[in-house]
Amino acid sequence: MKALALFAAAVGALAYVAAAASKCTADAPCFREGWCDSGPMFCMFSMCNVEKSFNSTSCWKPEGCSNQNVSFDSSSDVVAIRGYGGNPVTNPFVSIFEPNNAAVTDGNLVLQMNYDALNKKGFGATTSASHTFQYGRVTARIKTAAIAKGTVSAFIIRNDQVGDEIDFEWVGKSPNQVQTNFFYHDILDYSNSEYFDVGANTATTYHDYTIDWTPDAITWIVDGKTLRKLNRKDTYDSKTKVYKFPAAEGRIGFSIWDGGNSGSDGTEKWAGTPTPWTPSTVYKMFVDSIKITCAKENPKPPVSSISSATTTTATTSTTTTSEAPPTTSTTTSE
């Protein structure tokens, strides 16, 4: 199951520009999810829609892949996207949502989900790598939030504009299970998912989850054991004459969200429902470390300057209105 608009834009006090039928303007050049603005929230590669932006150079170029070992010992290892200065070396991860529910704590990247009383469901967190990634191997040591039905934890590689995705997911109703999945151009195909028993509770013990991605195959590995291998040649669709194999350069990310109270029957059945909440309930996903090995290391120079919009402190709201971009991710109903 996939969360659409995973890198959802946040409601803020800034003057976003509704894009309507026309393209963005020079003052707010980057288009994202129906809105225009400047700065990383709108302009980062794979978040920014090139065709609907002001011109072909408005969206930031991909940052390229860099071999990294991030142990999450420094608070600068993840920053709120508005405070991101455009240097993926200084800040290897950015937190996408506002309010920001991701931080480095006790040597872990901690993604937290709290109860949103207004919308009567959990408000979680999404973090995205500042470098882009296309082919290679990435291993993350993770303890999931699968302590109650309805909670969803995810470790993904995704291009938000193209809709290509490779992922591990965990749902609270099956804490000993990991789900592997892939998407080509956001086409929903249930046969792409395969489930595996990890042999332990994923919410109480850390495990090493690896995605090995080449132009010819994707391999999902847990604790050094191969669970699944997908060959590109096996994704050929004879009707469309297309290999439905994810190949677009994207970003590595982690997320936690409320599938049990999503309002979608299909999602709620998949995740378990309802997600149990009290005003003080908090669910957490922990990432102890991540190792990124690029098939070809090609980091680009950092973005040298960004809009003053990125340094403006915004007053946020969890209410989606017609006057600003949505705060939360939406989910598929099937």
Side-chain angles (χ1 to χ4, degrees), residues 155-157 164-168 181-182 211 213 218 220 246:
F155 165 31
I156 71 171
I157 304 168
D164 281 4
E165 177 176 323
I166 306 164
D167 66 46
F168 280 110
N181 203 357
F182 70 96
I211 297 172
W213 181 27
I218 302 165
W220 290 261

Side-chain angles (χ1 to χ4, degrees), residues 82-145:
R82 289 194 193 279
Y84 177 56
N87 190 336
V89 176
T90 304
N91 306 123
F93 281 83
V94 294
S95 178
I96 305 301
F97 287 172
E98 292 181 346
N100 173 24
N101 287 337
V104 172
T105 304
D106 297 329
N108 282 262
L109 169 61
V110 181
L111 290 84
Q112 181 170 305
M113 181 165 63
N114 305 315
Y115 185 62
D116 176 359
L118 183 64
N119 291 299
K120 298 181 180 180
K121 61 182 179 180
F123 187 92
T126 293
T127 59
S128 172
S130 305
H131 275 109
T132 51
F133 184 80
Q134 185 181 36
Y135 306 131
R137 175 180 282 233
V138 55
T139 298
R141 187 164 180 80
I142 297 170
K143 185 166 67 173
T144 75

Side-chain angles (χ1 to χ4, degrees), residues 6 46 65 94 104 141 229 244 248 254 295 301:
L6 184 61
S46 91
C65 192
V94 294
V104 172
R141 187 164 180 80
K229 184 174 183 179
K244 293 184 175 179
F254 303 100

Side-chain angles (χ1 to χ4, degrees), residues 146-157:
I147 63 173
K149 62 184 178 181
T151 61
V152 182
S153 310
F155 165 31
I156 71 171
I157 304 168

Side-chain angles (χ1 to χ4, degrees), residues 189-253:
D189 184 342
Y190 291 116
S191 66
N192 292 350
S193 298
E194 292 188 11
Y195 301 176
F196 300 91
D197 192 292
V198 175
N201 189 321
T202 65
T204 59
T205 55
Y206 286 91
H207 297 273
D208 293 325
Y209 299 91
T210 299
I211 297 172
D212 190 284
W213 181 27
T214 73
D216 299 314
I218 302 165
T219 307
W220 290 261
I221 303 164
V222 176
D223 294 332
K225 178 183 178 181
T226 296
L227 298 184
R228 177 186 183 187
K229 184 174 183 179
L230 172 74
N231 294 307
R232 178 179 180 271
K233 65 180 182 180
D234 296 328
T235 66
Y236 186 71
D237 186 331
S238 58
K239 292 182 179 180
T240 60
K241 301 187 186 308
V242 169
Y243 289 95
K244 293 184 175 179
F245 182 84
E249 183 174 7
R251 295 186 186 277
I252 298 162

